[in-house]
Amino acid sequence: MVLLFNNWILSPVLNPTLLKAHAEISELSIVGQPYAAVFRTFDIFSGLLFIACGTALLFYIGKRSQLLKLAALSMGVFGASNIFDAIFPLPCSETINRNCELGINTSLSNFHIP
């Protein structure tokens, strides 16, 4: 599960161009990028595994701990978010395409969501 989620470690082999340009991890999944389908597929499978682990944890803990229930539910939400991110990739890469404007800036110095 961890290896599937951290699929960006394959970027030096599968897409070194974006790595050298200091691109964001999400840019590896952009349609048209080399091996984008591989990165999206790994994201979907890791999301499914997070949901499965969260569900298994819920069944295992039963009614024991509210904190563990929260952890299990968080795993499920995290998995679903990972799947959602893979299904709806970024439309373009701001790093390698200067004409690309995503309208969202999540840098720590200038956070902006339209």
Side-chain angles (χ1 to χ4, degrees):
M1 172 172 58
V2 174
L3 290 176
L4 287 174
F5 177 71
N6 290 311
N7 60 45
W8 57 268
I9 60 176
L10 296 173
S11 63
V13 176
L14 298 181
N15 194 343
T17 305
L18 283 178
L19 181 69
K20 291 175 186 172
H22 304 290
E24 302 290 330
I25 293 171
S26 296
E27 293 181 70
L28 295 169
S29 299
I30 294 173
V31 177
Q33 285 298 314
Y35 300 99
V38 170
F39 291 109
R40 285 196 308 272
T41 301
F42 283 175
D43 285 341
I44 290 170
F45 280 131
S46 70
L48 291 171
L49 286 172
F50 273 107
I51 291 171
C53 287
T55 303
L57 183 60
L58 272 178
F59 283 115
Y60 175 73
I61 60 174
K63 297 181 180 180
R64 287 186 225 164
S65 168
Q66 295 294 353
L67 188 59
L68 285 177
K69 283 183 185 178
L70 179 63
L73 291 172
S74 297
M75 284 179 79
V77 169
F78 184 76
S81 299
N82 209 39
I83 293 169
F84 183 80
D85 184 49
I87 292 173
F88 300 103
L90 296 172
C92 57
S93 169
E94 287 184 317
T95 305
I96 59 174
N97 181 358
R98 299 291 177 219
N99 296 324
C100 174
E101 288 188 30
L102 297 176
I104 297 173
N105 184 350
T106 57
S107 72
L108 294 176
S109 62
N110 187 17
F111 186 79
H112 172 70
I113 297 177

